[in-house]
Amino acid sequence: MARIASESLIERLAEWGVDTVFGMPGDGINGIMEGLRRHRDRVRFVLVHHEEAAAFMATGYAKATGRIGVCLATSGPGGIHLLNGLYDAKLDHVPVLAITGMQETAVLGTGYQQEVHLDKLFADVAEYNMMITNPAQLPSLVDLAVRTAYARRGVAHLTLPNDIQVADAGADPYRTVAPVRAPETAPIYLRPSGLPRQADLARAAEVLNSAERPAILVGQGALHARQEVLAVAEALGAPVVKTLPGKAVVPDESPYTTGGIGLLGTRPSEDLMDDADVLFMVGTNFPYSTFLPEPGNARVVQFEADPARAGTRVPTDVPVVCDAKEGLRELLPLLTPRNGDGHLAKYQKLMAKWRSDMDALENPDRDPIAPQYVMSVIDDLAADDAILTCDSGTIATWAARHWTIRGEREFYLSGTLATMAPGLPYAIAMQHAFPGRQVIAYVGDGGFAMLMAEFLTAAQHQLPVKVVINNNNSLGQILWEQMVLGYPEHGVRFGRPEADYSTWARACGGFGAKVTQAGDVVAAVRQALAHDGPALVDVDVNPNEPPMPGKVSYDQAKSFATAFLKGQPHKAAIATTLFKDRIQRLGD
């Protein structure tokens, strides 16, 4: 059997260490599917039910493993469906390779069926973007695509016309004048040095040692640098604030952390940003500058791996290009250890009060069920090395505040894109990558409904993912955003009949439980975690529970009140919930 060009593609991916491709077949990639079939002993194809999920899976795989994630889609509509997941990879800076099909070269430009020039469509999302028009380009272009995805921490895209996919491997029908050089047998990726310049380190240390009220802000670029972050925090006597994608950098029970930042963050973190005279940003380019110190109020040092992003978010006194772990390790000997001066102790006290407030909201006696309680049950029962994935929306608030990072726990969500629906695909990809670990998808009913067919994917691939649905029968985050803008709610509640997603789980051959009473939450979650296959718990929660910011501004409160006056249809229930929350925080 003649060796086809698609085999050259798959072989080269295998040589780069790719062991999994997430995707969905179509007539535009039949040749690539044949290449995968012929090399199924080296690269596994994970069949999904929607191409968007394939891109999310590739992104989740890359986030959790640090290795390139690969997704595959057919020409036209299939490739278009990848885009949301690929933008998630682009904005969160993880390496993903998208492979798509294309019509035969002989008909390109004729308006042929499903003729969408995906290389042009992907021009914004992809760091490397190429249509293969000659089999001789493979595997060199695979090397360039993979290298670029790793080096620029983003998306690469290769699209192959049907006739190229099945052409003889290595054929050069055009008698190319330039010599076609075969790439090296073993691909090598040369990572840029993660070591900072000594002069930059000295300047950074000077600023940090001068701080009286230091603060450290860490993000996903420091996930591998927990011990170094804690050592620097100890030396500086500095509280550590965590972005949501960087939640797992340090344990939530650490005496050095004040938790998250932003709308989903904590009040102590917001107070710290207002108080700090030096901010040390490590492994983050936190985009919401309104939550950072006002320009001129604090000097800023930033450790950033990408030279293009170093010092671009806020006025930065010392931008340093380096890997977080290596940079902190080199910085530590230059720091002057501080004696206790009350700065750290102040925020430890504030954080103890915040934790007490959050614990009070995890009340099992509230009716309807409090979403904070559901998240606390997951937190109590999950393993110390569990991976939690999350969708965007109000659930991100509950996860941010009630999922405790301890041991080797991890946490993933769509950070900058903040898209709905990646929670379940992420979980499937991570369960595939780490078959021995507990992987839990904590999702909303809106996000789950978008890609719920992927629960069947989990069952068909025998992946024991656990799904807990925070079911408020609404688009909860948008409801509250409308109110903050001063508008009565509109178009955010789904109405009746209300969904029972546990029936879908059972129809797929998995475990499914519907919970409507708080007293049944613990037993249902415990059963789901113990089940040896995919499991789903659908919990009806209070739809009027507000995801309040850690620190409510006057303008937010004013807009909230204005929405009530304009005729908020659920104002009685919302007011009751707010009153109960306040009472709980004052101490049961």
Side-chain angles (χ1 to χ4, degrees):
M1 185 179 295
R3 183 168 170 268
I4 60 176
S6 291
E7 290 184 79
S8 181
L9 167 70
I10 303 305
E11 290 165 358
R12 199 57 176 173
L13 290 176
E15 288 165 3
W16 274 102
V18 172
D19 58 14
T20 305
V21 173
F22 302 97
M24 188 172 181
D27 56 8
I29 52 171
N30 281 333
I32 298 175
M33 292 302 301
E34 174 62 10
L36 282 164
R37 186 193 68 80
R38 295 185 187 185
H39 295 282
R40 58 190 180 276
D41 59 329
R42 301 181 68 187
V43 179
R44 180 184 179 188
F45 178 70
V46 175
L47 174 61
V48 305
H49 287 83
H50 196 289
E51 293 92 350
E52 181 180 4
F56 280 137
M57 290 179 194
T59 301
Y61 182 93
K63 287 183 176 183
T65 67
R67 291 155 42 202
I68 193 167
V70 182
C71 54
L72 173 66
T74 190
S75 54
I80 294 169
H81 286 160
L82 292 177
L83 279 172
N84 197 39
L86 296 182
Y87 270 102
D88 187 30
K90 172 186 172 71
L91 296 184
D92 280 354
H93 308 287
V94 293
V96 167
L97 172 63
I99 302 171
T100 61
M102 181 68 72
Q103 282 68 25
E104 287 85 352
T105 55
V107 301
L108 291 178
T110 67
Y112 200 74
Q113 183 187 32
Q114 295 187 340
E115 183 183 346
V116 176
H117 290 259
L118 295 172
D119 51 330
K120 296 179 180 178
L121 182 66
F122 284 25
D124 179 62
V125 76
E127 299 286 346
Y128 185 88
N129 184 20
M130 185 63 63
M131 181 168 70
I132 307 296
T133 57
N134 185 333
Q137 293 173 284
L138 295 167
S140 295
L141 266 56
V142 175
D143 286 358
L144 285 169
V146 174
R147 287 179 190 273
T148 303
Y150 273 127
R152 298 182 183 172
R153 303 183 184 199
V155 175
H157 170 233
L158 295 174
T159 186
L160 282 74
N162 276 334
D163 50 332
I164 303 298
Q165 295 174 30
V166 297
D168 288 344
D172 184 10
Y174 305 111
R175 297 183 180 180
T176 306
V177 175
V180 179
R181 298 186 184 277
E184 66 271 14
T185 302
I188 299 172
Y189 169 55
L190 300 176
R191 295 183 180 273
S193 173
L195 292 172
R197 298 188 307 179
Q198 288 301 312
D200 291 340
L201 276 179
R203 291 172 57 219
E206 179 185 1
V207 172
L208 293 169
N209 286 331
S210 72
E212 296 182 1
R213 300 180 306 281
I216 301 173
L217 175 62
V218 296
Q220 63 182 358
L223 286 171
H224 64 310
R226 173 178 292 183
Q227 297 309 316
E228 290 76 12
V229 168
L230 291 173
V232 169
E234 182 179 9
L236 295 175
V240 178
V241 182
K242 305 185 291 183
T243 68
L244 197 50
K247 181 174 171 63
V249 173
V250 299
D252 281 311
E253 296 168 338
S254 167
Y256 290 102
T257 188
T258 58
I261 187 174
L263 288 174
L264 282 61
T266 71
R267 180 166 189 147
S269 289
E270 289 207 43
D271 289 344
L272 177 61
M273 288 295 135
D274 292 336
D275 182 34
D277 63 347
V278 171
L279 175 64
F280 187 15
M281 300 173 66
V282 182
T284 181
N285 199 39
F286 186 69
Y288 311 107
S289 57
T290 186
F291 293 100
L292 299 178
E294 290 287 336
N297 286 359
R299 302 177 72 187
V300 178
V301 175
Q302 184 181 14
F303 278 15
E304 167 60 56
D306 185 349
R309 294 190 295 144
T312 61
R313 190 61 66 192
V314 292
T316 305
D317 297 79
V318 188
V320 182
V321 177
C322 66
D323 171 76
K325 186 181 185 74
E326 295 182 11
L328 293 175
R329 187 181 293 156
E330 294 293 311
L331 174 70
L332 265 169
L334 305 180
L335 297 179
T336 303
R338 296 166 59 97
N339 296 321
D341 58 4
H343 174 64
L344 178 61
K346 170 185 175 181
Y347 287 96
Q348 289 172 336
K349 184 177 179 180
L350 291 173
M351 197 58 193
K353 175 63 167 62
W354 174 266
R355 291 188 179 108
S356 176
D357 288 347
M358 293 300 101
D359 289 346
L361 295 177
E362 299 170 358
N363 190 326
D365 298 325
R366 294 169 64 188
D367 181 32
I369 302 171
Q372 299 95 324
Y373 173 62
V374 177
M375 187 68 253
S376 74
V377 170
I378 299 170
D379 186 54
D380 288 342
L381 297 180
D384 281 352
D385 68 344
I387 299 173
L388 184 76
T389 67
C390 185
D391 271 0
S392 299
T394 56
I395 47 170
T397 302
W398 317 135
R401 294 175 178 172
H402 302 274
W403 171 251
T404 305
I405 296 298
R406 61 174 181 264
E408 300 303 315
R409 282 185 174 182
E410 298 178 40
F411 175 73
Y412 298 97
L413 82 170
S414 174
T416 306
L417 187 62
T419 181
M420 294 175 66
L424 177 57
Y426 275 14
I428 290 171
M430 293 173 192
Q431 189 74 83
H432 172 78
F434 303 107
R437 293 180 68 176
Q438 191 179 73
V439 182
I440 305 166
Y442 177 59
V443 298
D445 55 304
F448 181 77
M450 288 181 171
L451 291 173
M452 60 186 288
E454 302 311 329
F455 190 86
L456 182 57
T457 299
Q460 290 169 336
H461 289 278
Q462 300 180 331
L463 296 169
V465 298
K466 314 305 177 189
V467 180
V468 179
I469 299 177
N470 184 86
N471 194 336
N472 55 20
N473 199 40
S474 65
L475 299 174
Q477 187 70 35
I478 308 306
L479 184 157
W480 293 100
E481 287 174 352
Q482 288 179 356
M483 293 181 66
V484 167
L485 290 170
Y487 306 146
E489 66 176 65
H490 180 70
V492 290
R493 300 192 190 248
F494 289 118
R496 298 185 181 277
E498 296 186 11
D500 178 357
Y501 294 108
S502 67
T503 60
W504 168 242
R506 293 192 293 273
C508 294
F511 172 87
K514 180 68 174 179
V515 177
T516 59
Q517 301 295 321
D520 298 328
V521 173
V522 172
V525 173
R526 183 176 280 123
Q527 282 182 279
L529 295 178
H531 185 69
D532 63 0
L536 182 150
V537 180
D538 183 2
V539 185
D540 287 350
V541 299
N542 185 358
N544 299 308
E545 183 72 28
M548 300 298 285
K551 192 173 183 178
V552 181
S553 70
Y554 171 77
D555 287 342
Q556 288 171 327
K558 181 179 178 182
S559 296
F560 190 83
T562 300
F564 268 61
L565 295 174
K566 285 185 177 179
Q568 165 58 246
H570 297 273
K571 58 186 177 183
I574 293 170
T576 300
T577 298
L578 287 168
F579 178 73
K580 287 181 178 178
D581 282 359
R582 181 62 178 165
I583 293 298
Q584 298 288 345
R585 292 188 186 191
L586 289 175
D588 282 343

